[in-house]
Amino acid sequence: MRALIQRVARANVSTTDGLESSVERGLLIFLGVENNDTQDDAVWLAGKIVSLRVFNDDKGVMNRSVIEIGGQIMVISQFTLQARIKKGNRPSYVDAAPPEISVPLYQFFIKQLELNSEKEIATGVFGASMQVELVNDGPVTIWMDSKQKH
């Protein structure tokens, strides 16, 4: 399971139906589910993300988590995070999990974030064409892969 995490001042996601959700200060997480991911990957990743100390304390040092600052969280499904680009110029998505695997794990990941943060999690629409707007605060962008826990 791969996540691209951005500290945001604000973010919103829209589809052709209009605005789906928005958040103010917090984290925007793009999530890609791989074929061999499990609920253990989702539990580890959600726990690690809500504990990341990427928000400034009173001294301007990144020393506070999204929970500590009372921030909001948004999760957007993004299978392209599983792209293979070793050969040629066209990305391959053979490692991206099909919907019968990815949808339940995506939903489970969101539930884990809700349990860990005790907050409702904003989301996009799984599998939809979405337009995501964000103001990256810092900028702070972190890449995590549940298969590389170092």
Side-chain angles (χ1 to χ4, degrees), residues 9 35 40 44 49 52 54-55 59 72 77 91 102-103 106-107 111 119 128 132-133 138-140 150:
N35 283 315
D40 289 342
W44 178 83
I49 289 171
L52 282 176
V54 295
F55 293 91
K59 296 178 182 175
Q72 298 179 306
S77 62
S102 56
V103 172
Y106 168 78
Q107 292 169 340
K111 291 292 183 202
K119 290 188 173 238
V132 181
E133 295 179 322
V140 174
H150 57 277

Side-chain angles (χ1 to χ4, degrees), residues 42-51 65-68 73 108-119 121:
V43 168
W44 178 83
L45 195 59
K48 193 73 169 175
I49 289 171
V50 299
S51 299
S65 71
V66 69
I67 295 171
E68 292 171 309
I73 301 172
F108 183 79
F109 174 75
I110 291 166
K111 291 292 183 202
Q112 292 304 302
L113 287 173
E114 288 175 340
L115 288 171
N116 290 332
S117 68
E118 298 181 350
K119 290 188 173 238
I121 305 301

Side-chain angles (χ1 to χ4, degrees), residues 45-103:
L45 195 59
K48 193 73 169 175
I49 289 171
V50 299
S51 299
L52 282 176
R53 298 186 314 173
V54 295
F55 293 91
N56 294 349
D57 62 15
D58 297 338
K59 296 178 182 175
V61 177
M62 287 196 291
N63 203 26
R64 292 200 173 133
S65 71
V66 69
I67 295 171
E68 292 171 309
I69 64 141
Q72 298 179 306
I73 301 172
M74 177 184 284
V75 178
I76 303 293
S77 62
Q78 189 170 353
F79 76 94
T80 60
L81 290 176
Q82 296 297 341
R84 278 193 197 178
I85 54 171
K86 289 185 179 182
K87 292 183 180 179
N89 295 317
R90 182 176 176 205
S92 168
Y93 302 106
V94 297
D95 295 329
E100 58 270 15
I101 295 171
S102 56
V103 172

Side-chain angles (χ1 to χ4, degrees), residues 15-31:
T15 64
T16 55
D17 293 335
L19 181 66
E20 293 296 330
S21 59
S22 63
V23 295
E24 293 299 319
R25 185 175 184 218
L27 297 175
L28 171 59
I29 304 164
F30 294 99
L31 184 74

